[in-house]
PDB file of all heavy atoms in Angstrom:
ATOM      1  N   THR A   1      31.446  52.356 -29.305  1.00  0.00           N
ATOM      2  CA  THR A   1      30.288  52.405 -28.398  1.00  0.00           C
ATOM      3  C   THR A   1      29.860  53.852 -28.131  1.00  0.00           C
ATOM      4  O   THR A   1      28.982  54.103 -27.319  1.00  0.00           O
ATOM      5  CB  THR A   1      30.627  51.730 -27.061  1.00  0.00           C
ATOM      6  OG1 THR A   1      31.773  52.369 -26.472  1.00  0.00           O
ATOM      7  CG2 THR A   1      30.910  50.251 -27.253  1.00  0.00           C
ATOM      8  N   GLU A   2      30.518  54.792 -28.837  1.00  0.00           N
ATOM      9  CA  GLU A   2      30.259  56.211 -28.594  1.00  0.00           C
ATOM     10  C   GLU A   2      29.303  56.814 -29.615  1.00  0.00           C
ATOM     11  O   GLU A   2      29.025  58.009 -29.564  1.00  0.00           O
ATOM     12  CB  GLU A   2      31.585  56.980 -28.624  1.00  0.00           C
ATOM     13  CG  GLU A   2      32.637  56.429 -27.671  1.00  0.00           C
ATOM     14  CD  GLU A   2      34.020  56.983 -27.986  1.00  0.00           C
ATOM     15  OE1 GLU A   2      34.204  58.204 -27.802  1.00  0.00           O
ATOM     16  OE2 GLU A   2      34.896  56.219 -28.425  1.00  0.00           O
ATOM     17  N   GLY A   3      28.815  55.991 -30.551  1.00  0.00           N
ATOM     18  CA  GLY A   3      27.925  56.507 -31.579  1.00  0.00           C
ATOM     19  C   GLY A   3      28.599  57.487 -32.512  1.00  0.00           C
ATOM     20  O   GLY A   3      28.007  58.485 -32.937  1.00  0.00           O
ATOM     21  N   LEU A   4      29.874  57.187 -32.869  1.00  0.00           N
ATOM     22  CA  LEU A   4      30.637  58.098 -33.719  1.00  0.00           C
ATOM     23  C   LEU A   4      30.597  57.710 -35.192  1.00  0.00           C
ATOM     24  O   LEU A   4      30.551  58.578 -36.062  1.00  0.00           O
ATOM     25  CB  LEU A   4      32.102  58.150 -33.252  1.00  0.00           C
ATOM     26  CG  LEU A   4      32.390  58.942 -31.990  1.00  0.00           C
ATOM     27  CD1 LEU A   4      33.849  58.781 -31.580  1.00  0.00           C
ATOM     28  CD2 LEU A   4      32.071  60.418 -32.209  1.00  0.00           C
ATOM     29  N   ILE A   5      30.655  56.409 -35.477  1.00  0.00           N
ATOM     30  CA  ILE A   5      30.776  55.998 -36.879  1.00  0.00           C
ATOM     31  C   ILE A   5      29.678  55.000 -37.254  1.00  0.00           C
ATOM     32  O   ILE A   5      29.289  54.170 -36.448  1.00  0.00           O
ATOM     33  CB  ILE A   5      32.159  55.390 -37.190  1.00  0.00           C
ATOM     34  CG1 ILE A   5      32.437  54.149 -36.324  1.00  0.00           C
ATOM     35  CG2 ILE A   5      33.256  56.421 -37.000  1.00  0.00           C
ATOM     36  CD1 ILE A   5      33.728  53.425 -36.674  1.00  0.00           C
ATOM     37  N   ASN A   6      29.204  55.189 -38.485  1.00  0.00           N
ATOM     38  CA  ASN A   6      28.231  54.285 -39.093  1.00  0.00           C
ATOM     39  C   ASN A   6      26.796  54.567 -38.666  1.00  0.00           C
ATOM     40  O   ASN A   6      26.539  55.155 -37.631  1.00  0.00           O
ATOM     41  CB  ASN A   6      28.578  52.818 -38.806  1.00  0.00           C
ATOM     42  CG  ASN A   6      28.381  51.963 -40.038  1.00  0.00           C
ATOM     43  OD1 ASN A   6      27.316  51.967 -40.622  1.00  0.00           O
ATOM     44  ND2 ASN A   6      29.426  51.252 -40.436  1.00  0.00           N
ATOM     45  N   TYR A   7      25.862  54.108 -39.492  1.00  0.00           N
ATOM     46  CA  TYR A   7      24.431  54.302 -39.284  1.00  0.00           C
ATOM     47  C   TYR A   7      24.138  55.806 -39.115  1.00  0.00           C
ATOM     48  O   TYR A   7      24.590  56.612 -39.893  1.00  0.00           O
ATOM     49  CB  TYR A   7      23.941  53.462 -38.105  1.00  0.00           C
ATOM     50  CG  TYR A   7      24.421  52.017 -38.159  1.00  0.00           C
ATOM     51  CD1 TYR A   7      25.260  51.496 -37.172  1.00  0.00           C
ATOM     52  CD2 TYR A   7      24.078  51.185 -39.223  1.00  0.00           C
ATOM     53  CE1 TYR A   7      25.717  50.178 -37.229  1.00  0.00           C
ATOM     54  CE2 TYR A   7      24.534  49.867 -39.291  1.00  0.00           C
ATOM     55  CZ  TYR A   7      25.360  49.376 -38.291  1.00  0.00           C
ATOM     56  OH  TYR A   7      25.813  48.087 -38.359  1.00  0.00           O
ATOM     57  N   LYS A   8      23.417  56.181 -38.087  1.00  0.00           N
ATOM     58  CA  LYS A   8      23.078  57.590 -37.871  1.00  0.00           C
ATOM     59  C   LYS A   8      24.002  58.214 -36.820  1.00  0.00           C
ATOM     60  O   LYS A   8      23.566  58.935 -35.915  1.00  0.00           O
ATOM     61  CB  LYS A   8      21.619  57.721 -37.425  1.00  0.00           C
ATOM     62  CG  LYS A   8      20.615  57.439 -38.525  1.00  0.00           C
ATOM     63  CD  LYS A   8      20.629  58.549 -39.572  1.00  0.00           C
ATOM     64  CE  LYS A   8      19.553  58.355 -40.626  1.00  0.00           C
ATOM     65  NZ  LYS A   8      19.547  59.437 -41.621  1.00  0.00           N
ATOM     66  N   ALA A   9      25.284  57.957 -36.940  1.00  0.00           N
ATOM     67  CA  ALA A   9      26.251  58.380 -35.932  1.00  0.00           C
ATOM     68  C   ALA A   9      26.558  59.881 -36.028  1.00  0.00           C
ATOM     69  O   ALA A   9      26.186  60.552 -36.986  1.00  0.00           O
ATOM     70  CB  ALA A   9      27.531  57.577 -36.090  1.00  0.00           C
ATOM     71  N   ARG A  10      27.276  60.375 -35.016  1.00  0.00           N
ATOM     72  CA  ARG A  10      27.561  61.808 -34.924  1.00  0.00           C
ATOM     73  C   ARG A  10      28.637  62.256 -35.908  1.00  0.00           C
ATOM     74  O   ARG A  10      28.570  63.359 -36.438  1.00  0.00           O
ATOM     75  CB  ARG A  10      27.999  62.171 -33.502  1.00  0.00           C
ATOM     76  CG  ARG A  10      26.881  62.085 -32.472  1.00  0.00           C
ATOM     77  CD  ARG A  10      27.360  62.547 -31.112  1.00  0.00           C
ATOM     78  NE  ARG A  10      28.252  61.561 -30.488  1.00  0.00           N
ATOM     79  CZ  ARG A  10      29.514  61.796 -30.160  1.00  0.00           C
ATOM     80  NH1 ARG A  10      30.058  62.968 -30.430  1.00  0.00           N
ATOM     81  NH2 ARG A  10      30.245  60.872 -29.568  1.00  0.00           N
ATOM     82  N   PHE A  11      29.632  61.414 -36.144  1.00  0.00           N
ATOM     83  CA  PHE A  11      30.753  61.803 -36.990  1.00  0.00           C
ATOM     84  C   PHE A  11      30.586  61.303 -38.427  1.00  0.00           C
ATOM     85  O   PHE A  11      30.612  62.088 -39.373  1.00  0.00           O
ATOM     86  CB  PHE A  11      32.062  61.293 -36.379  1.00  0.00           C
ATOM     87  CG  PHE A  11      33.269  61.486 -37.253  1.00  0.00           C
ATOM     88  CD1 PHE A  11      33.482  62.689 -37.922  1.00  0.00           C
ATOM     89  CD2 PHE A  11      34.209  60.471 -37.403  1.00  0.00           C
ATOM     90  CE1 PHE A  11      34.600  62.870 -38.736  1.00  0.00           C
ATOM     91  CE2 PHE A  11      35.328  60.643 -38.208  1.00  0.00           C
ATOM     92  CZ  PHE A  11      35.524  61.840 -38.879  1.00  0.00           C
ATOM     93  N   VAL A  12      30.426  60.011 -38.606  1.00  0.00           N
ATOM     94  CA  VAL A  12      30.244  59.436 -39.944  1.00  0.00           C
ATOM     95  C   VAL A  12      28.911  58.719 -40.010  1.00  0.00           C
ATOM     96  O   VAL A  12      28.620  57.859 -39.167  1.00  0.00           O
ATOM     97  CB  VAL A  12      31.368  58.437 -40.288  1.00  0.00           C
ATOM     98  CG1 VAL A  12      31.185  57.927 -41.733  1.00  0.00           C
ATOM     99  CG2 VAL A  12      32.741  59.067 -40.142  1.00  0.00           C
ATOM    100  N   ARG A  13      28.126  59.062 -41.003  1.00  0.00           N
ATOM    101  CA  ARG A  13      26.834  58.411 -41.208  1.00  0.00           C
ATOM    102  C   ARG A  13      26.884  57.532 -42.442  1.00  0.00           C
ATOM    103  O   ARG A  13      27.570  57.846 -43.416  1.00  0.00           O
ATOM    104  CB  ARG A  13      25.729  59.458 -41.353  1.00  0.00           C
ATOM    105  CG  ARG A  13      25.522  60.294 -40.102  1.00  0.00           C
ATOM    106  CD  ARG A  13      24.487  61.366 -40.301  1.00  0.00           C
ATOM    107  NE  ARG A  13      24.387  62.234 -39.144  1.00  0.00           N
ATOM    108  CZ  ARG A  13      23.701  63.372 -39.096  1.00  0.00           C
ATOM    109  NH1 ARG A  13      23.043  63.769 -40.181  1.00  0.00           N
ATOM    110  NH2 ARG A  13      23.674  64.103 -38.000  1.00  0.00           N
ATOM    111  N   GLN A  14      26.129  56.445 -42.410  1.00  0.00           N
ATOM    112  CA  GLN A  14      26.045  55.565 -43.568  1.00  0.00           C
ATOM    113  C   GLN A  14      24.590  55.224 -43.827  1.00  0.00           C
ATOM    114  O   GLN A  14      23.877  54.765 -42.936  1.00  0.00           O
ATOM    115  CB  GLN A  14      26.857  54.284 -43.351  1.00  0.00           C
ATOM    116  CG  GLN A  14      26.887  53.393 -44.598  1.00  0.00           C
ATOM    117  CD  GLN A  14      27.711  52.139 -44.418  1.00  0.00           C
ATOM    118  OE1 GLN A  14      28.005  51.738 -43.285  1.00  0.00           O
ATOM    119  NE2 GLN A  14      28.082  51.485 -45.513  1.00  0.00           N
ATOM    120  N   ILE A  15      24.161  55.467 -45.035  1.00  0.00           N
ATOM    121  CA  ILE A  15      22.776  55.168 -45.432  1.00  0.00           C
ATOM    122  C   ILE A  15      22.803  53.777 -46.058  1.00  0.00           C
ATOM    123  O   ILE A  15      22.949  53.613 -47.275  1.00  0.00           O
ATOM    124  CB  ILE A  15      22.222  56.221 -46.410  1.00  0.00           C
ATOM    125  CG1 ILE A  15      22.470  57.634 -45.879  1.00  0.00           C
ATOM    126  CG2 ILE A  15      20.732  55.975 -46.642  1.00  0.00           C
ATOM    127  CD1 ILE A  15      21.883  57.900 -44.504  1.00  0.00           C
ATOM    128  N   ILE A  16      22.669  52.761 -45.221  1.00  0.00           N
ATOM    129  CA  ILE A  16      22.895  51.382 -45.638  1.00  0.00           C
ATOM    130  C   ILE A  16      21.714  50.790 -46.397  1.00  0.00           C
ATOM    131  O   ILE A  16      20.599  51.324 -46.370  1.00  0.00           O
ATOM    132  CB  ILE A  16      23.215  50.488 -44.414  1.00  0.00           C
ATOM    133  CG1 ILE A  16      22.040  50.469 -43.452  1.00  0.00           C
ATOM    134  CG2 ILE A  16      24.473  50.963 -43.713  1.00  0.00           C
ATOM    135  CD1 ILE A  16      22.192  49.457 -42.315  1.00  0.00           C
ATOM    136  N   ARG A  17      21.988  49.685 -47.070  1.00  0.00           N
ATOM    137  CA  ARG A  17      20.917  48.927 -47.707  1.00  0.00           C
ATOM    138  C   ARG A  17      20.019  48.341 -46.621  1.00  0.00           C
ATOM    139  O   ARG A  17      20.432  48.123 -45.493  1.00  0.00           O
ATOM    140  CB  ARG A  17      21.504  47.788 -48.550  1.00  0.00           C
ATOM    141  CG  ARG A  17      22.312  48.254 -49.742  1.00  0.00           C
ATOM    142  CD  ARG A  17      22.906  47.099 -50.512  1.00  0.00           C
ATOM    143  NE  ARG A  17      23.850  46.343 -49.705  1.00  0.00           N
ATOM    144  CZ  ARG A  17      23.674  45.094 -49.309  1.00  0.00           C
ATOM    145  NH1 ARG A  17      22.586  44.431 -49.642  1.00  0.00           N
ATOM    146  NH2 ARG A  17      24.592  44.487 -48.582  1.00  0.00           N
ATOM    147  N   GLY A  18      18.797  48.059 -46.990  1.00  0.00           N
ATOM    148  CA  GLY A  18      17.879  47.471 -46.013  1.00  0.00           C
ATOM    149  C   GLY A  18      16.783  48.443 -45.628  1.00  0.00           C
ATOM    150  O   GLY A  18      16.677  49.556 -46.157  1.00  0.00           O
ATOM    151  N   ASN A  19      15.971  48.045 -44.697  1.00  0.00           N
ATOM    152  CA  ASN A  19      14.841  48.844 -44.212  1.00  0.00           C
ATOM    153  C   ASN A  19      13.866  49.208 -45.339  1.00  0.00           C
ATOM    154  O   ASN A  19      13.120  50.170 -45.227  1.00  0.00           O
ATOM    155  CB  ASN A  19      15.328  50.128 -43.520  1.00  0.00           C
ATOM    156  CG  ASN A  19      16.222  49.833 -42.327  1.00  0.00           C
ATOM    157  OD1 ASN A  19      15.981  48.872 -41.594  1.00  0.00           O
ATOM    158  ND2 ASN A  19      17.255  50.633 -42.137  1.00  0.00           N
ATOM    159  N   GLY A  20      13.906  48.434 -46.423  1.00  0.00           N
ATOM    160  CA  GLY A  20      12.938  48.636 -47.493  1.00  0.00           C
ATOM    161  C   GLY A  20      13.245  49.780 -48.435  1.00  0.00           C
ATOM    162  O   GLY A  20      12.502  49.999 -49.396  1.00  0.00           O
ATOM    163  N   ALA A  21      14.322  50.541 -48.209  1.00  0.00           N
ATOM    164  CA  ALA A  21      14.635  51.684 -49.058  1.00  0.00           C
ATOM    165  C   ALA A  21      15.235  51.221 -50.386  1.00  0.00           C
ATOM    166  O   ALA A  21      16.102  50.350 -50.408  1.00  0.00           O
ATOM    167  CB  ALA A  21      15.605  52.617 -48.345  1.00  0.00           C
ATOM    168  N   THR A  22      14.765  51.809 -51.477  1.00  0.00           N
ATOM    169  CA  THR A  22      15.337  51.505 -52.786  1.00  0.00           C
ATOM    170  C   THR A  22      16.656  52.261 -52.946  1.00  0.00           C
ATOM    171  O   THR A  22      16.973  53.171 -52.171  1.00  0.00           O
ATOM    172  CB  THR A  22      14.386  51.926 -53.913  1.00  0.00           C
ATOM    173  OG1 THR A  22      14.256  53.364 -53.900  1.00  0.00           O
ATOM    174  CG2 THR A  22      13.015  51.286 -53.732  1.00  0.00           C
ATOM    175  N   PHE A  23      17.396  51.898 -53.978  1.00  0.00           N
ATOM    176  CA  PHE A  23      18.649  52.611 -54.256  1.00  0.00           C
ATOM    177  C   PHE A  23      18.372  54.092 -54.491  1.00  0.00           C
ATOM    178  O   PHE A  23      19.094  54.963 -53.982  1.00  0.00           O
ATOM    179  CB  PHE A  23      19.334  51.997 -55.478  1.00  0.00           C
ATOM    180  CG  PHE A  23      20.614  52.693 -55.863  1.00  0.00           C
ATOM    181  CD1 PHE A  23      21.817  52.333 -55.265  1.00  0.00           C
ATOM    182  CD2 PHE A  23      20.617  53.700 -56.824  1.00  0.00           C
ATOM    183  CE1 PHE A  23      22.998  52.974 -55.613  1.00  0.00           C
ATOM    184  CE2 PHE A  23      21.795  54.344 -57.178  1.00  0.00           C
ATOM    185  CZ  PHE A  23      22.988  53.977 -56.571  1.00  0.00           C
ATOM    186  N   GLU A  24      17.327  54.398 -55.246  1.00  0.00           N
ATOM    187  CA  GLU A  24      16.995  55.785 -55.560  1.00  0.00           C
ATOM    188  C   GLU A  24      16.602  56.552 -54.303  1.00  0.00           C
ATOM    189  O   GLU A  24      16.947  57.735 -54.154  1.00  0.00           O
ATOM    190  CB  GLU A  24      15.857  55.845 -56.590  1.00  0.00           C
ATOM    191  CG  GLU A  24      16.253  55.405 -57.996  1.00  0.00           C
ATOM    192  CD  GLU A  24      16.495  53.893 -58.109  1.00  0.00           C
ATOM    193  OE1 GLU A  24      15.968  53.135 -57.263  1.00  0.00           O
ATOM    194  OE2 GLU A  24      17.209  53.479 -59.044  1.00  0.00           O
ATOM    195  N   GLU A  25      15.892  55.903 -53.394  1.00  0.00           N
ATOM    196  CA  GLU A  25      15.525  56.554 -52.136  1.00  0.00           C
ATOM    197  C   GLU A  25      16.752  56.832 -51.285  1.00  0.00           C
ATOM    198  O   GLU A  25      16.867  57.899 -50.664  1.00  0.00           O
ATOM    199  CB  GLU A  25      14.513  55.688 -51.376  1.00  0.00           C
ATOM    200  CG  GLU A  25      13.130  55.658 -52.015  1.00  0.00           C
ATOM    201  CD  GLU A  25      12.223  54.583 -51.441  1.00  0.00           C
ATOM    202  OE1 GLU A  25      12.742  53.632 -50.802  1.00  0.00           O
ATOM    203  OE2 GLU A  25      10.997  54.691 -51.624  1.00  0.00           O
ATOM    204  N   ARG A  26      17.668  55.874 -51.239  1.00  0.00           N
ATOM    205  CA  ARG A  26      18.912  56.086 -50.487  1.00  0.00           C
ATOM    206  C   ARG A  26      19.710  57.232 -51.092  1.00  0.00           C
ATOM    207  O   ARG A  26      20.275  58.074 -50.377  1.00  0.00           O
ATOM    208  CB  ARG A  26      19.756  54.812 -50.482  1.00  0.00           C
ATOM    209  CG  ARG A  26      19.178  53.692 -49.636  1.00  0.00           C
ATOM    210  CD  ARG A  26      19.908  52.401 -49.920  1.00  0.00           C
ATOM    211  NE  ARG A  26      21.323  52.472 -49.581  1.00  0.00           N
ATOM    212  CZ  ARG A  26      22.283  51.800 -50.209  1.00  0.00           C
ATOM    213  NH1 ARG A  26      21.984  51.011 -51.236  1.00  0.00           N
ATOM    214  NH2 ARG A  26      23.535  51.925 -49.834  1.00  0.00           N
ATOM    215  N   LEU A  27      19.751  57.283 -52.420  1.00  0.00           N
ATOM    216  CA  LEU A  27      20.485  58.338 -53.103  1.00  0.00           C
ATOM    217  C   LEU A  27      19.898  59.710 -52.766  1.00  0.00           C
ATOM    218  O   LEU A  27      20.642  60.677 -52.517  1.00  0.00           O
ATOM    219  CB  LEU A  27      20.436  58.096 -54.611  1.00  0.00           C
ATOM    220  CG  LEU A  27      21.413  58.871 -55.492  1.00  0.00           C
ATOM    221  CD1 LEU A  27      22.850  58.505 -55.159  1.00  0.00           C
ATOM    222  CD2 LEU A  27      21.124  58.580 -56.963  1.00  0.00           C
ATOM    223  N   ALA A  28      18.584  59.792 -52.727  1.00  0.00           N
ATOM    224  CA  ALA A  28      17.924  61.054 -52.406  1.00  0.00           C
ATOM    225  C   ALA A  28      18.212  61.472 -50.960  1.00  0.00           C
ATOM    226  O   ALA A  28      18.444  62.650 -50.677  1.00  0.00           O
ATOM    227  CB  ALA A  28      16.419  60.927 -52.625  1.00  0.00           C
ATOM    228  N   ILE A  29      18.198  60.505 -50.048  1.00  0.00           N
ATOM    229  CA  ILE A  29      18.510  60.794 -48.640  1.00  0.00           C
ATOM    230  C   ILE A  29      19.945  61.309 -48.512  1.00  0.00           C
ATOM    231  O   ILE A  29      20.218  62.300 -47.823  1.00  0.00           O
ATOM    232  CB  ILE A  29      18.316  59.536 -47.767  1.00  0.00           C
ATOM    233  CG1 ILE A  29      16.834  59.161 -47.704  1.00  0.00           C
ATOM    234  CG2 ILE A  29      18.864  59.758 -46.355  1.00  0.00           C
ATOM    235  CD1 ILE A  29      16.572  57.793 -47.091  1.00  0.00           C
ATOM    236  N   ILE A  30      20.867  60.619 -49.169  1.00  0.00           N
ATOM    237  CA  ILE A  30      22.279  61.016 -49.108  1.00  0.00           C
ATOM    238  C   ILE A  30      22.463  62.423 -49.666  1.00  0.00           C
ATOM    239  O   ILE A  30      23.128  63.268 -49.060  1.00  0.00           O
ATOM    240  CB  ILE A  30      23.161  60.005 -49.874  1.00  0.00           C
ATOM    241  CG1 ILE A  30      23.233  58.694 -49.087  1.00  0.00           C
ATOM    242  CG2 ILE A  30      24.558  60.562 -50.118  1.00  0.00           C
ATOM    243  CD1 ILE A  30      23.875  57.550 -49.853  1.00  0.00           C
ATOM    244  N   ARG A  31      21.846  62.689 -50.817  1.00  0.00           N
ATOM    245  CA  ARG A  31      21.987  64.008 -51.425  1.00  0.00           C
ATOM    246  C   ARG A  31      21.460  65.102 -50.494  1.00  0.00           C
ATOM    247  O   ARG A  31      22.099  66.144 -50.306  1.00  0.00           O
ATOM    248  CB  ARG A  31      21.255  64.048 -52.770  1.00  0.00           C
ATOM    249  CG  ARG A  31      21.412  65.377 -53.505  1.00  0.00           C
ATOM    250  CD  ARG A  31      20.751  65.363 -54.872  1.00  0.00           C
ATOM    251  NE  ARG A  31      21.508  64.565 -55.826  1.00  0.00           N
ATOM    252  CZ  ARG A  31      21.115  63.399 -56.306  1.00  0.00           C
ATOM    253  NH1 ARG A  31      19.962  62.852 -55.890  1.00  0.00           N
ATOM    254  NH2 ARG A  31      21.840  62.740 -57.184  1.00  0.00           N
ATOM    255  N   SER A  32      20.320  64.841 -49.886  1.00  0.00           N
ATOM    256  CA  SER A  32      19.711  65.820 -48.991  1.00  0.00           C
ATOM    257  C   SER A  32      20.561  66.053 -47.742  1.00  0.00           C
ATOM    258  O   SER A  32      20.812  67.200 -47.344  1.00  0.00           O
ATOM    259  CB  SER A  32      18.310  65.349 -48.588  1.00  0.00           C
ATOM    260  OG  SER A  32      17.743  66.220 -47.637  1.00  0.00           O
ATOM    261  N   GLU A  33      21.048  64.968 -47.130  1.00  0.00           N
ATOM    262  CA  GLU A  33      21.816  65.105 -45.887  1.00  0.00           C
ATOM    263  C   GLU A  33      23.196  65.708 -46.154  1.00  0.00           C
ATOM    264  O   GLU A  33      23.700  66.491 -45.340  1.00  0.00           O
ATOM    265  CB  GLU A  33      21.922  63.751 -45.181  1.00  0.00           C
ATOM    266  CG  GLU A  33      20.585  63.240 -44.683  1.00  0.00           C
ATOM    267  CD  GLU A  33      20.723  62.146 -43.629  1.00  0.00           C
ATOM    268  OE1 GLU A  33      21.839  61.913 -43.146  1.00  0.00           O
ATOM    269  OE2 GLU A  33      19.685  61.532 -43.288  1.00  0.00           O
ATOM    270  N   VAL A  34      23.807  65.348 -47.269  1.00  0.00           N
ATOM    271  CA  VAL A  34      25.103  65.939 -47.615  1.00  0.00           C
ATOM    272  C   VAL A  34      24.950  67.434 -47.851  1.00  0.00           C
ATOM    273  O   VAL A  34      25.776  68.240 -47.385  1.00  0.00           O
ATOM    274  CB  VAL A  34      25.704  65.234 -48.850  1.00  0.00           C
ATOM    275  CG1 VAL A  34      26.841  66.068 -49.456  1.00  0.00           C
ATOM    276  CG2 VAL A  34      26.230  63.857 -48.467  1.00  0.00           C
ATOM    277  N   GLN A  35      23.905  67.840 -48.559  1.00  0.00           N
ATOM    278  CA  GLN A  35      23.671  69.257 -48.788  1.00  0.00           C
ATOM    279  C   GLN A  35      23.449  70.005 -47.476  1.00  0.00           C
ATOM    280  O   GLN A  35      23.914  71.142 -47.314  1.00  0.00           O
ATOM    281  CB  GLN A  35      22.476  69.449 -49.718  1.00  0.00           C
ATOM    282  CG  GLN A  35      22.777  69.090 -51.173  1.00  0.00           C
ATOM    283  CD  GLN A  35      21.556  69.199 -52.067  1.00  0.00           C
ATOM    284  OE1 GLN A  35      20.434  69.412 -51.606  1.00  0.00           O
ATOM    285  NE2 GLN A  35      21.767  69.053 -53.373  1.00  0.00           N
ATOM    286  N   ALA A  36      22.775  69.357 -46.532  1.00  0.00           N
ATOM    287  CA  ALA A  36      22.552  69.983 -45.226  1.00  0.00           C
ATOM    288  C   ALA A  36      23.877  70.196 -44.490  1.00  0.00           C
ATOM    289  O   ALA A  36      24.090  71.246 -43.866  1.00  0.00           O
ATOM    290  CB  ALA A  36      21.619  69.115 -44.385  1.00  0.00           C
ATOM    291  N   VAL A  37      24.764  69.210 -44.556  1.00  0.00           N
ATOM    292  CA  VAL A  37      26.079  69.352 -43.918  1.00  0.00           C
ATOM    293  C   VAL A  37      26.872  70.457 -44.604  1.00  0.00           C
ATOM    294  O   VAL A  37      27.520  71.290 -43.950  1.00  0.00           O
ATOM    295  CB  VAL A  37      26.863  68.020 -43.960  1.00  0.00           C
ATOM    296  CG1 VAL A  37      28.281  68.205 -43.416  1.00  0.00           C
ATOM    297  CG2 VAL A  37      26.140  66.946 -43.157  1.00  0.00           C
ATOM    298  N   GLU A  38      26.834  70.486 -45.942  1.00  0.00           N
ATOM    299  CA  GLU A  38      27.561  71.519 -46.679  1.00  0.00           C
ATOM    300  C   GLU A  38      27.066  72.908 -46.306  1.00  0.00           C
ATOM    301  O   GLU A  38      27.871  73.841 -46.105  1.00  0.00           O
ATOM    302  CB  GLU A  38      27.393  71.286 -48.185  1.00  0.00           C
ATOM    303  CG  GLU A  38      28.169  70.087 -48.709  1.00  0.00           C
ATOM    304  CD  GLU A  38      27.909  69.793 -50.169  1.00  0.00           C
ATOM    305  OE1 GLU A  38      26.811  70.124 -50.661  1.00  0.00           O
ATOM    306  OE2 GLU A  38      28.802  69.229 -50.820  1.00  0.00           O
ATOM    307  N   MET A  39      25.776  73.064 -46.169  1.00  0.00           N
ATOM    308  CA  MET A  39      25.221  74.362 -45.778  1.00  0.00           C
ATOM    309  C   MET A  39      25.628  74.726 -44.363  1.00  0.00           C
ATOM    310  O   MET A  39      25.996  75.864 -44.074  1.00  0.00           O
ATOM    311  CB  MET A  39      23.702  74.344 -45.918  1.00  0.00           C
ATOM    312  CG  MET A  39      23.211  74.292 -47.351  1.00  0.00           C
ATOM    313  SD  MET A  39      21.393  74.254 -47.470  1.00  0.00           S
ATOM    314  CE  MET A  39      20.979  75.840 -46.752  1.00  0.00           C
ATOM    315  N   ALA A  40      25.591  73.742 -43.459  1.00  0.00           N
ATOM    316  CA  ALA A  40      25.935  73.992 -42.059  1.00  0.00           C
ATOM    317  C   ALA A  40      27.383  74.434 -41.889  1.00  0.00           C
ATOM    318  O   ALA A  40      27.703  75.224 -40.989  1.00  0.00           O
ATOM    319  CB  ALA A  40      25.671  72.736 -41.228  1.00  0.00           C
ATOM    320  N   PHE A  41      28.265  73.940 -42.760  1.00  0.00           N
ATOM    321  CA  PHE A  41      29.693  74.261 -42.639  1.00  0.00           C
ATOM    322  C   PHE A  41      30.168  75.231 -43.725  1.00  0.00           C
ATOM    323  O   PHE A  41      31.365  75.392 -43.938  1.00  0.00           O
ATOM    324  CB  PHE A  41      30.515  72.976 -42.683  1.00  0.00           C
ATOM    325  CG  PHE A  41      30.444  72.180 -41.408  1.00  0.00           C
ATOM    326  CD1 PHE A  41      29.443  71.224 -41.213  1.00  0.00           C
ATOM    327  CD2 PHE A  41      31.352  72.397 -40.377  1.00  0.00           C
ATOM    328  CE1 PHE A  41      29.364  70.493 -40.036  1.00  0.00           C
ATOM    329  CE2 PHE A  41      31.288  71.670 -39.198  1.00  0.00           C
ATOM    330  CZ  PHE A  41      30.293  70.718 -39.030  1.00  0.00           C
ATOM    331  N   GLY A  42      29.207  75.879 -44.395  1.00  0.00           N
ATOM    332  CA  GLY A  42      29.570  76.937 -45.334  1.00  0.00           C
ATOM    333  C   GLY A  42      30.158  76.473 -46.641  1.00  0.00           C
ATOM    334  O   GLY A  42      30.859  77.237 -47.312  1.00  0.00           O
ATOM    335  N   LEU A  43      29.893  75.224 -47.024  1.00  0.00           N
ATOM    336  CA  LEU A  43      30.390  74.716 -48.306  1.00  0.00           C
ATOM    337  C   LEU A  43      29.329  74.958 -49.364  1.00  0.00           C
ATOM    338  O   LEU A  43      28.603  74.055 -49.771  1.00  0.00           O
ATOM    339  CB  LEU A  43      30.714  73.220 -48.197  1.00  0.00           C
ATOM    340  CG  LEU A  43      31.748  72.831 -47.140  1.00  0.00           C
ATOM    341  CD1 LEU A  43      31.930  71.323 -47.116  1.00  0.00           C
ATOM    342  CD2 LEU A  43      33.076  73.513 -47.415  1.00  0.00           C
ATOM    343  N   THR A  44      29.243  76.182 -49.839  1.00  0.00           N
ATOM    344  CA  THR A  44      28.155  76.544 -50.755  1.00  0.00           C
ATOM    345  C   THR A  44      28.538  76.386 -52.209  1.00  0.00           C
ATOM    346  O   THR A  44      27.687  76.444 -53.080  1.00  0.00           O
ATOM    347  CB  THR A  44      27.728  78.000 -50.521  1.00  0.00           C
ATOM    348  OG1 THR A  44      28.894  78.854 -50.677  1.00  0.00           O
ATOM    349  CG2 THR A  44      27.175  78.174 -49.120  1.00  0.00           C
TER     350      THR A  44
END
């Protein structure tokens, strides 16, 4: 109930099926958000 895991949570996020997004769109979102996390934490 703390918004920590799953969906758009603070700790673990999941880009789930649904909401009309295609597999390729989900893949692009994941790639973009993962790269943002890597940059934020110095994983270059």
